[in-house]
Amino acid sequence: MTPKILLVIAALLALQLATSRVVWASDPSPLQDFCVVDNSSKVFVNGFVCKSMDDVKAEDFFTYGLDKPGNTINKLGSNVRAVNVNTIPGLNTLGISMARIDFAPRGLNPPHTHPRATEILTVLKGELYVGFVTSNIGQTNRLFTKILKKGDVFVFPQGLVHFQFNRGHTRAIAIAALSSQNPGTITVANAVFGSKPSISDEVLSKAFQVDQKIVDRLQAQFWMDNNN
């Protein structure tokens, strides 16, 4: 082969690799009008198997109750009601979901990430202090924060740790839209201190540069909170 042909082949391979990464990094793309989840299927795929078009009903694209306030009587003072593919089977392959978030006064939606989605949040009532932290850029994890009032909108980039806090003395409500049918949620404190089985206290002690007794107390507290 001539050098020119080899160069063309290399370029085509690079293009295919780049394209493949883009495809696999996102939700499955629809190849038909819709792909409503077939909950009776035992086949395991990346996403969900479609049921027959003949069996699809309007209810497959419907849910209700987002007008009702969530119960915020808990230690965090917040409640998240997710509307994703597990709630609306018609969302399968459509790459979108949403959530209603209710906050009691001083309520917190604690630091967490959505590994598969960017989030855009709109405040419907009250005032929220929100923010996200960048990934490890050099030795710095930069924090971006904003005070949001009714009607304000803020974006949390995909995969980055973020939070929302109602610093006021009245209830707050927000609606979030997310760029995945199933964004996933990793609550940082729960994942680190409440995993099953537990992460070694020696590992956590060294990571956080604190005494192992502090780690033991935190793990015990998370265990109690999740088993009561």
Side-chain angles (χ1 to χ4, degrees):
M1 290 187 187
T2 67
K4 284 187 177 179
I5 292 175
L6 287 172
L7 189 61
V8 170
I9 292 172
L12 288 172
L13 286 171
L15 180 61
Q16 171 149 12
L17 259 169
T19 306
S20 299
R21 285 174 185 167
V22 171
V23 170
W24 289 106
S26 63
D27 280 14
S29 298
L31 299 175
Q32 53 204 32
D33 288 349
F34 45 77
C35 173
V36 174
V37 174
D38 181 359
N39 287 313
S40 66
S41 175
K42 302 299 181 184
V43 178
F44 183 80
V45 297
N46 181 27
F48 297 93
V49 174
C50 314
K51 68 180 178 181
S52 168
M53 291 271 193
D54 295 335
D55 297 329
V56 174
K57 302 175 182 178
E59 284 72 22
D60 291 321
F61 303 92
F62 171 78
T63 192
Y64 61 92
L66 282 192
D67 59 318
K68 302 292 190 297
N71 183 3
T72 57
I73 302 175
N74 53 60
K75 290 189 175 183
L76 293 172
S78 68
N79 182 285
V80 179
R81 179 180 173 187
V83 180
N84 53 37
V85 69
N86 299 306
T87 311
I88 302 180
L91 283 174
N92 191 34
T93 76
L94 298 185
I96 193 169
S97 59
M98 66 180 297
R100 170 178 170 147
I101 313 168
D102 288 273
F103 300 85
R106 316 302 290 178
L108 172 70
N109 189 13
H112 63 281
T113 74
H114 301 297
R116 296 180 289 276
T118 291
E119 175 182 342
I120 183 167
L121 181 112
T122 305
V123 176
L124 301 184
K125 178 181 178 181
E127 183 176 294
L128 295 177
Y129 168 63
V130 306
F132 67 85
V133 181
T134 63
S135 56
N136 301 351
I137 302 173
Q139 297 298 313
T140 303
N141 296 93
R142 190 174 173 191
L143 173 65
F144 292 85
T145 63
K146 190 75 175 173
I147 303 297
L148 304 184
K149 298 182 179 181
K150 180 178 178 181
D152 290 346
V153 178
F154 197 79
V155 173
F156 305 100
Q158 180 172 337
L160 298 188
V161 174
H162 60 282
F163 61 87
Q164 299 106 25
F165 176 60
N166 178 10
R167 63 178 200 165
H169 300 286
T170 60
R171 294 180 62 85
I173 304 169
I175 290 286
L178 301 110
S179 62
S180 171
Q181 67 183 44
N182 186 24
T185 300
I186 302 171
T187 303
V188 176
N190 292 0
V192 172
F193 295 107
S195 67
K196 296 180 181 179
S198 299
I199 299 173
S200 161
D201 56 2
E202 185 177 0
V203 170
L204 294 180
S205 174
K206 196 170 187 67
F208 288 95
Q209 295 293 292
V210 296
D211 190 274
Q212 288 190 22
K213 292 179 181 179
I214 295 175
V215 172
D216 290 339
R217 283 202 300 270
L218 287 169
Q219 288 178 324
Q221 185 63 54
F222 273 91
W223 189 89
M224 289 175 59
D225 289 345
N226 291 302
N227 288 277
N228 287 336

